[in-house]
Amino acid sequence: PPLQHCVDGQKDRTAAPRRATGHTMETKETPPPVLKPQLSKKQLAKAQRRKDLPIDEHELTPADCCKKHEVDMQAGLTGSQVAANRLKHGWNRLTPPKSTPGWLLYLLQYANFFSILLVAGGLLCFIAYGIDGSDVSNLYLGIILEVVVFITSTFSYVQEAKSNAIMLGFKNMVPKKCKVVRDGATAILDAADLVPGDIVEYQEGDAVPADLRALESHNLKVDNSALTGESEAQERNADTVVPGDSHKAASGKAPEPGVGWTPAIEAGNMLWFSTIVTSGHGKGLVIGTGDNTMMGQIAGLVSDSGDGDTKPPLIQDIDRFIRWVSAAAITLGIAFLGTGLGLGVQTVVQSLVYCISVIVATVPEGLLATLTVALALTAKRMHTKSMLVKFLQGVETLGCTTVIASDKTGTLTQNRMTVQHCWYDNTLFDIPAPRNEVQRVQMMADKEAKGFQGWFKLDPTNPTFVMLHKVAAICSNSDFMLSTNALDPAAPMLDMAVEWQKSDFDLLGLQCTGDASESGLLKMVQFVRDAKEYRTKLPKLFEIKFNSTNKWQLSVHTDLEAPAGSPPLMVLKGAPEKVWERCTHIISNGEVHPLTPEWEAKFTEAYEKLGSLGERVLGFAYRQLDGMAHDYPYDDQPTPNFPTDGLTFAGLISLMDPPREGVLEAVATCKRAHVRVYMVTGDHPITATAIAREIGILDMHMEKSGRGIVISGDNLRDVMEIEDEVARTAEWDRILSHEQIVFARVTPAHKLLIVENNQRLGQIVAVTGDGVNDAPALKRANIGISMGISGKDVSKEAADMILMDDNFASIVNGIEEGRLIFDNLKKSIMYTLTSKPPELIPFLLWVAARLPLSLSTILILAVDIGTDMLPAIGLAYEHRESAIMLRPPRSAQKDPLVDFPLLLYTYIHIGVIQCIAAYYGFFVALNDYGYPPRILLGLGLGWPLHPLICTNGGAGDAAITSCGFGCDSSSNLGAQLQSLNPALNINANYCSQGCFQPPTSALQDPFSEMTSLGFRGFAAGAVAVCARTCEWYNSLGPLKDTYVAASADPASDFRLILTPGDVTLFDTYCNGNAVVHEHSNLYGFPGRGTADPDAFAETGAMHYWDGSFQSAPDLERQRYILQACQCVYFVTVVLCKGITALTSKTRRLSIFQHGIRRNRFLLYGILCQLILAVIIAYAPPLNIVFMTQPMAGQHWALFIPFFIFIFCYDETRKFIIRSFDATHVIARALYW
């Protein structure tokens, strides 16, 4: 061709495309879409990527393309042009997207409310321990809280870290080297060096290094499956595309109705970046590089689809619950912190610890870990059903799915061309596809059986079919690859005759040489007669291979089965219209008839019928080469030297990528489950429609009623050209209002738009795909599902799940698992939250009613992240309660994971019952130790800090009537007194836990608050009891006589303030010459205050522990008793949780209907829960860590009545639910 130069420069590819209006070079510019000015540059770029690339080179002749790009077709670009183009367009590389550094992604895991609360709580524990190191429980609690946060956040990071592997997958698709023509010479360069305008040469096996416009083509075929999903390699040529050519069938398919503009992606003269040349060779012009390629557009769409990722419904539910619980925890914590400090009943350290305790009691620390483990176990179970879960949240999301946008090739179909039908004797027949001899016998047994189209099965003995079969068998170069190890040349070969007889042999799964259609024909031939045997009987003499010009394949054979002296047999296979035009006769019922217009009409009718099914149709013919020798020197250059016409037409055979086994049933299950299944494919609308009808995605009655529709890529382009956003959205809504939809000939941008618009309407969308073109939609979908066998690396990285067997039926199994895990997670959450009331209420009553604290903070953690974990996880193994695939998908808004009925049931119903049971055990245990419930009010804050002083009813009544606290205990009282006067020789532990009660008045200490008759009482004020010193005594004045006089009145509250004995001793110590000291005024307990100003002990009260009055205090014993009773409370909660775990197995059915022993893991978890409670209660090392003491054996029986009550209560609730309709107000109120 002459040199061509461009006069107007290279067109910017961001401009709008041109649509050809005729067969000339005249074009009409389409005005660019009106974009709203408020859109940002990033938004404009995203909007542009959702449209077809602005390419018009496919509508230009090769010479005009070169002219446009200012390149010489023979010499290529010059060095200066390359430099200028590179400066303008950059390198042929994909721009990597911005990514979050791993360290920042990890730190973000600590940013959720639960983590912040627990981290803050842990830090406050460390601060409290630093201020007061005597309470080591604060240290233990802080460590446990931080460890819980660390483990949970680290696990979340591992699950959420979506690395840059998606873009790495695109990068790995870039060809390394390519052959380029520059400055008149051919060179091998890195593909990254290419610029628009370069001339590239390619041949079989090459990966296309950029977007190319074919300039020369020689038998060229390209595998576009990664981009379009077409299972067959597509022919490519250098012809200019004109309007009306876009849907012309190049492979025997009927043309698509409607003539219009040809999108570049459907043009037969375009080669796309990263696709593979499967045959032929040619030369092309680079028209796009890097981000400006079709693959670059897809990579950009993948990046776009990650912007504002929609959180899975489960995560939305959990986030919502976390916010609610965190707000409640913070509010309660701050409120009680302020209460403790404001009322002055607690020190700063005590208030901080109390605030932490309230937060810990409110927050279910083990919930996130439980959910994660439960999801992981479900993911493991799904792996056994051929679904690999990459992101655990996707397990439940699949159960919420309302729309499945499924790719066709490889998912709904088998991704292999298989013979479906044939036409001979003027009749259409169904051809079965058995995998082995056992299946063949079964399929052919019923002669009256009909296929999906209502056609009878073929008769292998029919003479016409025998001839058709012979032509199909020998007019082929395909063969089986029978090596048992393709990587080992010495590996043994399969014996086809032996293997064919085995019931587990899969003929259809065997790899073959040749293209998809050749392989399909070979497998059809094999089940009737061994192809190798056929070819041995009819050795090949000569062959003309298929080419894009002839569109047929021809071969000449010697028929050793024919009578001696028979001439060579010529057979022909190819496009039906090309084969038919070379025929003069047709075989029917074993007899040859001349072709007539009637036969041509019958042929056309059959051809169009098969083509309308979306099947690839091939014609077959033969001829006896009478008068020609078998050793004739056959040749086809420049033209055949033997006749290639005058053939006898044998028949038609059609092939299609057939539906997978089980897909029809799976689609039907989706319909029953109220899940819409859309077919979204890049394949031809006719093919897509045929498959959709066969598997039930598109029903005829739905089409006729207007509820089913087929939408092509051209329809979507028309929608996107609507400038008014409201009108465009309304059109999308109209399309998606159909119940059954098939999207065909769609681009990656179209797939992404389909997903986005469904999500806009509130649908939960699952997308399946295997190609690079599916990556944007896979990433944008609520749940992306890639194919494990046929899927490209990019699609696998973009997806949330991988379908290991590429079978759509496995997705339905996944939906069922997703719905089941939602039910089970709801049960786990319900079970987990029931312990919150018995954990939180003790702290509320501790401050509000001053009851002794029945459960320590560290025991709360023992429940939440200890005993509760295994039963909660065990509920994830629960079997389904009902036909979950008959109900609609759950709505995240209407049916959240944690809703009001569940909270009502957990916090008010079962939670309160558990709390009552636990307090019952706590009070009974305290009563057994001598502390009846009636005396406990007001003692809670001081119980672990000060010894109790109690009174009884008097007159021989041993039962105590009230208890309180005396003076503040201080461990340094003895040392303080010793420092005032070393001569006193006072014990360092003197009155460190309160002073002892002297047995007689003669041994009475005047400075002590205790007399031989009991506690002095606070009638005269705190100083007169707790801060008795010489200075106080000498300052009494007239009160001295008043107090002494009152000592004679047994009914006076002042009777023990100052006895005559006290006066004698005071005078001796404070005013006597023998002991007077310079500090004698400070003798006693100067400055000592009360233990608890809100719980004063009465006059005459005595030390009390172990159920009797004692002469000396024993605070350690008092703490021991409280810890033992707290252990009873803890164990009672754990035991109640055990029965709650059993009742949680079902939400509606009786557990007798459902079965108690079916879930062995749950029973094992309850057993482990009990064992752990026993260890915490009785193991000495854990007694120290958890601050518990062994509980009495009889206290284990205290929960039995509540065991029975909880079980009966829940069974009654379920019975009431079953007795009413599900929509009844009572059923809805009781059903969680």
Side-chain angles (χ1 to χ4, degrees), residues 74 313 343 488:
Q74 304 302 323
L343 297 179
D488 182 7

Side-chain angles (χ1 to χ4, degrees), residues 661-683:
E661 290 186 6
V663 168
L664 178 63
E665 294 78 7
V667 171
T669 301
C670 287
K671 291 178 180 178
R672 291 193 296 270
H674 304 273
V675 178
R676 296 185 180 185
V677 182
Y678 298 160
M679 179 186 289
V680 184
T681 178
D683 212 340

Side-chain angles (χ1 to χ4, degrees), residues 764-780:
I764 303 299
V765 185
V767 171
T768 71
D770 57 358
V772 178
N773 59 326
D774 299 314
L778 287 170
K779 193 165 187 290
R780 179 61 183 173

Side-chain angles (χ1 to χ4, degrees), residues 593-861:
H593 306 277
L595 290 183
T596 63
E598 289 77 13
W599 272 113
E600 184 167 2
K602 295 173 182 177
F603 158 79
T604 302
E605 181 184 0
Y607 178 25
E608 291 179 349
K609 179 62 177 177
L610 294 174
S612 68
L613 299 178
E615 299 176 2
R616 182 176 187 188
V617 187
L618 296 174
F620 298 84
Y622 67 96
R623 172 180 172 169
Q624 302 288 343
L625 294 178
D626 295 325
M628 303 196 70
H630 291 273
D631 57 356
Y632 179 78
Y634 297 97
D635 193 7
D636 64 338
Q637 297 298 327
T639 58
N641 62 355
F642 57 94
T644 59
D645 51 11
L647 285 80
T648 299
F649 194 80
L652 298 172
I653 294 178
S654 64
L655 304 93
M656 187 172 64
D657 184 9
R660 283 182 173 272
E661 290 186 6
V663 168
L664 178 63
E665 294 78 7
V667 171
T669 301
C670 287
K671 291 178 180 178
R672 291 193 296 270
H674 304 273
V675 178
R676 296 185 180 185
V677 182
Y678 298 160
M679 179 186 289
V680 184
T681 178
D683 212 340
H684 199 281
I686 294 177
T687 305
T689 302
I691 292 292
R693 287 172 177 165
E694 186 171 350
I695 62 178
I697 288 180
L698 189 64
D699 297 324
M700 292 294 293
H701 72 277
M702 297 294 281
E703 285 187 90
K704 293 178 180 178
S705 65
R707 292 183 291 168
I709 192 172
V710 179
I711 300 294
S712 69
D714 286 341
N715 298 138
L716 297 182
R717 290 183 183 92
D718 292 338
V719 174
M720 296 312 297
E721 287 183 0
I722 300 175
E723 296 180 2
D724 182 67
E725 184 176 349
V726 175
R728 184 169 63 249
T729 301
E731 182 61 17
W732 269 111
D733 293 347
R734 185 193 68 80
I735 292 173
L736 296 178
S737 66
H738 293 83
E739 296 179 33
Q740 296 182 347
I741 310 177
V742 173
F743 295 96
R745 277 286 189 245
V746 295
T747 66
H750 293 156
K751 292 186 178 183
L752 183 57
L753 286 167
I754 292 168
V755 174
E756 291 175 337
N757 280 280
N758 271 287
Q759 291 175 331
R760 176 179 56 79
L761 294 173
Q763 304 287 2
I764 303 299
V765 185
V767 171
T768 71
D770 57 358
V772 178
N773 59 326
D774 299 314
L778 287 170
K779 193 165 187 290
R780 179 61 183 173
N782 299 94
I783 182 76
I785 306 171
S786 177
M787 302 300 107
I789 299 173
S790 61
K792 306 298 182 184
D793 290 342
V794 174
S795 67
K796 292 178 182 178
E797 292 297 337
D800 303 293
M801 292 185 183
I802 297 176
L803 209 57
M804 303 305 294
D805 59 357
D806 288 12
N807 195 342
F808 181 84
S810 298
I811 299 177
V812 178
N813 294 333
I815 291 175
E816 183 173 0
E817 286 292 337
R819 294 187 178 187
L820 177 60
I821 192 57
F822 172 78
D823 287 354
N824 289 344
L825 287 180
K826 208 170 179 72
K827 296 172 184 177
S828 293
I829 291 174
M830 192 285 294
Y831 165 80
T832 300
L833 294 182
T834 53
S835 60
K836 291 294 104 181
E839 290 173 357
L840 181 59
I841 289 175
F843 290 95
L844 302 182
L845 295 180
W846 183 44
V847 171
R850 304 292 180 84
L851 284 175
L853 186 62
S854 56
L855 190 68
S856 65
T857 307
I858 202 162
L859 282 177
I860 292 175
L861 292 177

Side-chain angles (χ1 to χ4, degrees), residues 15 32 58 75 199 258 335 378 386 464 525 559 583 759 785 895 1013 1018 1216 1220:
H58 61 299
I199 303 296
T378 302
S386 301
T464 306
V525 167
D559 191 350
C583 294
Q759 291 175 331
I785 306 171
D895 187 15
L1013 297 178
F1018 288 102
I1216 294 174
F1220 289 92

Side-chain angles (χ1 to χ4, degrees), residues 104-131:
L104 180 58
L105 192 63
Y106 179 70
L107 291 180
L108 289 175
Q109 306 307 313
Y110 291 86
N112 68 70
F113 279 110
F114 269 15
S115 296
I116 293 173
L117 281 176
L118 296 183
V119 168
L123 293 177
L124 290 176
C125 286
F126 293 141
I127 293 173
Y129 178 72
I131 296 174

Side-chain angles (χ1 to χ4, degrees), residues 105 336 380 388 452 479 529 556 570 587 699 850 959 1037 1087 1173:
L105 192 63
F336 283 94
K380 182 178 179 181
L388 176 62
F452 177 76
D479 207 349
R529 182 178 177 182
V556 181
M570 182 180 71
I587 184 173
D699 297 324
R850 304 292 180 84

